[in-house]
Amino acid sequence: MNSDADVLIVGAGPSGLSLAAALADAGLAPLVLEQQPRAALDAPAPDGREIALTHRARRVMEALGLWQRVPEAEVAPLREARVIDGDAPTTLAFGPGDPTLGWLIGNHEIRRAALAAALARPAVQLRCDARVTALALDDDIARLTLADGSVLRAPLVVAADSRFSQTRRLAGIGASMRDFGRSVVVGRVAHAQPNHGIAWECFRYGNTLALLPMNDNRSSAVVTVASHRAPEWLALDDAEFAARIEAQSQGRLGTMRADGPRHHYPLVGVYAHRFVAPRFALIGDAAVGMHPVTAHGYNFGLYGVEVLARELRQAREAGHDIGALPALQAFEREHRRSTLPVYLGTNAIVTLFTDESAPAKFARQAVLRVADGAPLLNGLIKAAITRQLTGAEGRAWPRPPWPVFDKAAKAVQSVLAR
Ligand SMILES: Cc1cc2nc3c(=O)[nH]c(=O)nc-3n(C[C@H](O)[C@H](O)[C@H](O)COP(=O)(O)OP(=O)(O)OC[C@H]3O[C@@H](n4cnc5c(N)ncnc54)[C@H](O)[C@@H]3O)c2cc1C
């Protein structure tokens, strides 16, 4: 059967473009379809997202040539993270030390680097102004229809078209969605004191504030509020916004001023009921759309890219059909192992730390106090979170019995599907 590419990728976001680069390196010829015009991809505007990246994500980005395409001055080291609850004196700190917890890079820089890295591979084709409107998954081929009526064929379609993925819906795959009823308002601030690479997560009453360290005495202020209060934060003038951030951070970084526009994102967590079907797979936010508090969305996108490309390379080298289920299911299993515990854990943390009822306030202060006062527990929590961020293997961490884990995780995923 004639095909237009080995793999059709829907969406030229950072996940779709990274996958295109990885598939080219795996000996496949992908075609990326993007609804936006080419100019929007060539010069992506800053969107307020500072993406915290783990060590594993960095390794994937380096292997694909993305990391090398981000100017050094745009990479901010994340050396330490501190958590404060309300006005309580207790602080939970991760790091400082060796290795660095991670790095922060602006989302627009990642998008730009991902486009350049993908297009540096002659095997990658990109078609812009190409909105996918229909999908057919036949036994021997997958077909996509674009808004202009043209039809494209390939052995495999991968949807990387955001957490609200239309292509996922067209494939008949549902997703568990959790609308947190909250939104983030993000804006850069410049401050008098250095941030020393420390990220602050301040669970204030009424809103939470994260201060993410950037270079040159700047930080990204990420304010999470009930969605009906977001317009109030967006309407503040620069001086009022900076004054609020300075007050909520208790002047830790000195005098502040706003350093750029504010952006706004409603918070919806998404976990697809399945990541694959015959001739179809999901990647990036289309598979797992995280609440940003644990900073894992694009990291998971990159982990998925690494695993899917590896499985498809093996299938191709063995002369197997790359759209058949065995290779795709191996990807699904591994991606679920990396993502489901963190997805559920993140949602639980969000619930605990944003609930303003008295029992919830008591519970989270107890968590911080116990962690602060019990060196062993504190050490374990920090080690677990640090390991999650750095991807360090460490022999002290036994692997779970995967068959049991997989069964349990599949059951949880099907409960989410109800
Ligand atoms: C405030 C905030 C902070 C974050 N912080 C972090 C962090 O610290 N660390 C981290 O790892 N992640 C973080 N994330 C998550 C990260 O931004 C996302 O995981 C990542 O951008 C998702 O990339 P993607 O390529 O999967 O999807 P997207 O970037 O949403 O790209 C999807 C693409 O598909 C295209 N498309 C959609 N529909 C169609 C169609 N029908 N036809 C053709 N094209 C289509 C769109 O135009 C778009 O270009 C954060 C997110 C937010 C909102």
Side-chain angles (χ1 to χ4, degrees):
M1 172 94 43
N2 280 347
S3 60
D4 298 281
D6 291 327
V7 182
L8 294 170
I9 300 173
V10 187
S15 303
L17 290 168
S18 308
L19 180 67
L23 292 183
D25 293 350
L28 295 162
L31 166 56
V32 187
L33 302 161
E34 169 58 49
Q35 63 186 2
Q36 296 181 78
R38 178 63 192 262
L41 298 192
D42 283 336
D47 58 18
R49 300 186 217 185
E50 297 303 321
I51 305 295
L53 295 156
T54 64
H55 288 238
R56 178 175 170 192
R58 178 179 175 153
R59 284 196 294 275
V60 179
M61 289 175 75
E62 283 175 345
L64 298 178
L66 268 71
W67 194 269
Q68 301 82 324
R69 286 179 163 86
V70 177
E72 227 170 278
E74 301 297 332
V75 181
L78 176 57
R79 299 204 167 87
E80 192 180 336
R82 295 186 189 168
V83 182
I84 311 171
D85 178 50
D87 299 322
T90 320
T91 304
L92 190 60
F94 307 102
D98 197 26
T100 303
L101 286 178
W103 299 268
L104 286 147
I105 301 180
N107 194 43
H108 64 293
E109 292 290 349
I110 295 176
R111 292 188 82 125
R112 201 195 326 262
L115 178 70
L119 295 183
R121 273 104 169 155
V124 174
Q125 296 178 68
L126 170 66
R127 191 157 152 186
C128 290
D129 296 304
R131 187 166 59 84
V132 169
T133 55
L135 166 75
L137 301 172
D138 297 336
D139 286 347
D140 50 354
I141 203 89
R143 276 176 292 129
L144 283 177
T145 306
L146 306 184
D148 66 5
S150 51
V151 176
L152 298 162
R153 294 170 180 76
L156 177 65
V157 166
V158 180
D161 54 345
S162 86
R163 65 188 65 204
F164 303 111
S165 171
Q166 163 80 357
T167 318
R168 181 179 67 213
R169 206 164 288 138
L170 291 171
I173 298 180
S176 145
M177 292 201 184
R178 171 138 180 227
D179 187 334
F180 291 94
R182 303 176 82 80
S183 294
V184 286
V185 174
V186 280
R188 286 184 177 185
V189 286
H191 35 79
Q193 304 296 326
N195 54 41
H196 300 294
I198 300 172
W200 289 93
E201 189 75 58
C202 314
F203 291 99
R204 296 276 161 231
Y205 302 142
N207 65 269
T208 65
L209 167 68
L211 278 172
L212 307 177
M214 300 169 64
N215 293 331
D216 306 323
N217 283 13
R218 286 174 308 143
S219 294
S220 169
V222 184
V223 180
T224 309
V225 286
S227 291
H228 69 277
R229 289 195 48 219
E232 168 201 325
W233 278 85
L234 289 165
L236 294 175
D237 68 30
D238 283 357
E240 288 167 334
F241 178 69
R244 276 201 192 179
I245 302 301
E246 190 181 317
Q248 293 205 355
S249 55
Q250 295 168 328
R252 285 186 169 86
L253 297 175
T255 318
M256 286 185 172
R257 66 176 168 77
D259 185 37
R262 258 157 275 151
H263 301 264
H264 159 237
Y265 296 92
L267 292 174
V268 181
V270 175
Y271 205 89
H273 295 164
R274 283 178 290 138
F275 296 155
V276 302
R279 309 218 165 277
F280 186 76
L282 296 168
I283 203 96
D285 278 16
V288 183
M290 295 288 294
H291 186 295
V293 69
T294 50
H296 268 87
Y298 183 51
N299 289 289
F300 282 165
L302 287 167
Y303 302 172
V305 162
E306 186 180 40
V307 176
L308 182 59
R310 185 195 67 211
E311 292 301 325
L312 295 181
R313 176 199 287 265
Q314 284 171 6
R316 183 189 67 82
E317 287 175 354
H320 297 152
D321 178 356
I322 58 166
L325 271 182
L328 301 177
Q329 280 171 331
F331 152 71
E332 177 175 69
R333 238 181 348 263
E334 192 163 334
H335 201 45
R336 193 169 42 215
R337 286 175 186 172
S338 336
T339 58
L340 188 57
V342 181
Y343 177 79
L344 295 174
T346 299
N347 291 358
I349 289 171
V350 171
T351 305
L352 178 66
F353 277 87
T354 53
D355 186 338
E356 306 228 334
S357 67
K361 281 182 187 172
F362 176 79
R364 63 183 180 247
Q365 285 185 9
V367 168
L368 291 184
R369 228 174 283 127
V370 168
D372 200 41
L376 180 62
L377 179 63
N378 191 319
L380 282 173
I381 293 174
K382 285 179 186 173
I385 292 182
T386 306
R387 178 174 170 270
Q388 181 64 37
L389 291 171
T390 60
E393 283 298 328
R395 248 177 268 142
W397 297 89
R399 291 184 175 283
W402 285 128
V404 180
F405 178 94
D406 288 341
K407 270 197 192 135
K410 217 170 167 183
V412 172
Q413 203 177 14
S414 60
V415 170
L416 286 176
R418 279 189 205 138

